[in-house]
Amino acid sequence: PGVRIEDDGRKMGLNGVDNGRIRFDDVRVPREALLNRFADVSPEGVYESSIGNPHRRFFTMLGTLVQGRVSVGGAGISVSKVALSVATRYAVRRRQFSAASDTEEQVLLDYGLHQRRLLPLIARTYALHFAQDVVRSQLHNVFSGITDDAEERRRLESRAAGLKALATWHATRVVQECREACGGAGYLAVNRFAALKADSDVFTTFEGDNHVLLQLVAKGLLTDQASAFEDLDQAGMVRFVTGLAVETLLERTSVHKLLERVRDLLPGGDEWDREAGLLDSDYQLAMVRFREEHMLAGLARRIKSGTDQKRDPGAVFSQVQDHVVALARAHVERLVTEAFVEKVRAMPEGDEKVALALLCDLFVLSTIEADRAWFMEHGRLTVQRSKTISREVNDLCRKVRPLALDLVDAWDIPPEMLRAPDLLG
């Protein structure tokens, strides 16, 4: 009694994902019905908790969201697989225009642009899949008590938040690209894309807005100390970073050491422009690691500069938020790259390893290509080498093209989950 669901005839959400309102009029929740894992209310009405520190208690309760974030991130990756399975199958059966033959029209996936649209997305989906597998294993270890220490839990929370952001943004992009790649037929509700979009679009804000989650990731990178992470608010975090000597932070992030590594991999002069080395996983890892660590050191400098000028810590942080989010994305992309590279290296020799190695190269080089302006600005790419990377991505797309159907079939999605009769026949 006293509880009612609002229904005034007005729609409040996306198709398929509706929100609603519940009103309570003079309703008392019994004390025995409280969610009291971390805190309780005594019969005398006194609030009690076994976690005395209010900041620690807040983050402990917030940490329970990690399971939801892992689940939502995994759901986003699954949505990407469904959309790419439909679009790829359609692209290998749909013929359009006589581009290479006078007698037969060409299938869509034989066009270079279509390969560029779909194949790097398949590669990135595989990369996110392997990264998700790592965070899933960490989740199991932490919540089953195998490695349930504060540092491991904090690492899990950060990784889950960052991967959730990238995976759900990826899903949104994939669904739209695949819908467009299927032309007008992709717009028909019967062919599933409309339902996929309705169901998955909200993932970017489920269990935390993605931009907020990436700021959480960056905060952990900046403080990098267990005691500081759980007790600092935004202004406190700024003051903490300001208290670090920039030289100490540079040493910790090993930027100068990474510079030496990059130079070892990419000698100056003519060798800088050689294509040899682009497919070297050590080179690829060095590039994404350098980007993250350079951004981390640069962000600390910007924060210190602002506070040295006696500016308000909140205003300082607000002005560097673009840098904060860029750092977090670079950090998560480094984790994703490492997960993919480690997976390929651990595989036994054979056709599957060759196929995944091609996909890994395509993922990393297309990632570098997408941010090549940054790499060029910071001296890690010459103009010529940037062009070489684009040519290499095109070449990798051509090599992956014959494997495309096998790659989406490997996800083993049941036909009843695809449900695109006009596209798949």
Side-chain angles (χ1 to χ4, degrees), residues 78-303:
S78 295
V79 165
S80 299
K81 291 176 181 178
V82 171
L84 285 165
S85 293
V86 173
T88 302
R89 285 180 169 88
Y90 180 72
V92 298
R93 66 184 291 268
R94 176 73 165 92
R95 294 183 177 274
Q96 192 165 345
F97 308 124
S98 302
S101 170
D102 295 331
T103 60
E104 188 176 44
E105 292 186 328
Q106 187 165 311
V107 296
L108 292 180
L109 201 55
D110 285 342
Y111 287 100
L113 179 59
H114 217 78
Q115 293 172 13
R116 267 282 194 162
R117 297 176 70 180
L118 296 183
L119 300 184
L121 295 180
I122 292 177
R124 191 173 186 86
T125 302
Y126 266 86
L128 290 168
H129 171 95
F130 294 129
Q132 176 75 5
D133 203 42
V134 172
V135 79
R136 180 187 56 81
S137 297
Q138 290 178 335
L139 180 76
H140 168 74
N141 291 339
V142 167
F143 282 86
S144 63
I146 297 174
T147 56
D148 191 14
D149 59 86
E151 183 178 351
E152 188 65 24
R153 182 177 286 269
R154 194 169 292 105
R155 188 179 297 115
L156 168 64
E157 291 170 1
S158 175
R159 191 162 191 152
L163 188 58
K164 181 265 180 184
L166 264 62
T168 54
W169 271 329
H170 176 68
T172 299
R173 176 190 174 192
V174 165
V175 172
Q176 181 63 26
E177 192 66 55
C178 289
R179 205 288 297 163
E180 292 183 29
C182 293
Y187 191 68
L188 298 176
V190 71
N191 288 324
R192 192 74 199 281
F193 286 115
L196 284 177
K197 181 180 285 291
D199 287 345
S200 66
D201 193 63
V202 73
F203 287 177
T204 57
T205 45
F206 265 173
E207 301 295 347
D209 174 84
N210 285 349
H211 285 92
V212 175
L213 293 183
L214 289 183
Q215 291 180 69
L216 173 68
V217 172
K219 175 182 175 182
L221 293 172
L222 284 166
T223 58
D224 200 26
Q225 291 188 11
S227 60
F229 181 82
E230 61 195 15
D231 291 338
L232 294 182
D233 57 12
Q234 179 171 294
M237 185 272 291
V238 174
R239 286 190 291 270
F240 175 84
V241 175
T242 303
L244 294 175
V246 171
E247 292 77 14
T248 302
L249 184 59
L250 283 172
E251 178 62 30
R252 182 172 64 80
T253 55
S254 303
V255 169
H256 65 287
K257 295 177 182 178
L258 196 60
L259 275 169
E260 293 173 0
R261 175 62 177 151
V262 171
R263 292 189 183 111
D264 289 341
L265 288 166
L266 302 173
D270 294 337
E271 290 187 72
W272 178 269
D273 293 324
R274 291 184 180 177
E275 293 188 22
L278 289 181
L279 304 184
D280 182 345
S281 58
D282 285 331
Y283 161 76
Q284 296 167 356
L285 289 170
M287 291 291 277
V288 295
R289 286 168 178 166
F290 172 83
R291 179 180 60 170
E292 175 192 349
E293 295 178 6
H294 193 289
M295 285 183 173
L296 176 57
L299 177 59
R301 286 194 192 96
R302 289 184 67 186
I303 291 176

Side-chain angles (χ1 to χ4, degrees), residues 359-416:
L359 275 186
C360 187
D361 290 336
L362 179 56
F363 162 68
V364 182
L365 291 187
S366 59
T367 297
I368 294 173
E369 181 189 42
D371 204 16
R372 58 184 170 182
W374 187 94
F375 287 104
M376 293 174 72
E377 288 174 353
H378 295 83
R380 299 279 59 83
L381 284 179
T382 63
V383 172
Q384 186 57 44
R385 194 166 184 83
S386 174
K387 294 178 179 178
T388 301
I389 287 178
S390 292
R391 289 196 298 269
E392 190 65 58
V393 170
N394 287 334
D395 188 55
L396 286 167
C397 284
R398 287 189 290 270
K399 291 177 180 177
V400 171
R401 160 62 184 97
L403 308 174
L405 200 55
D406 290 331
L407 290 170
V408 297
D409 284 346
W411 290 327
D412 198 24
I413 301 173
E416 58 269 21

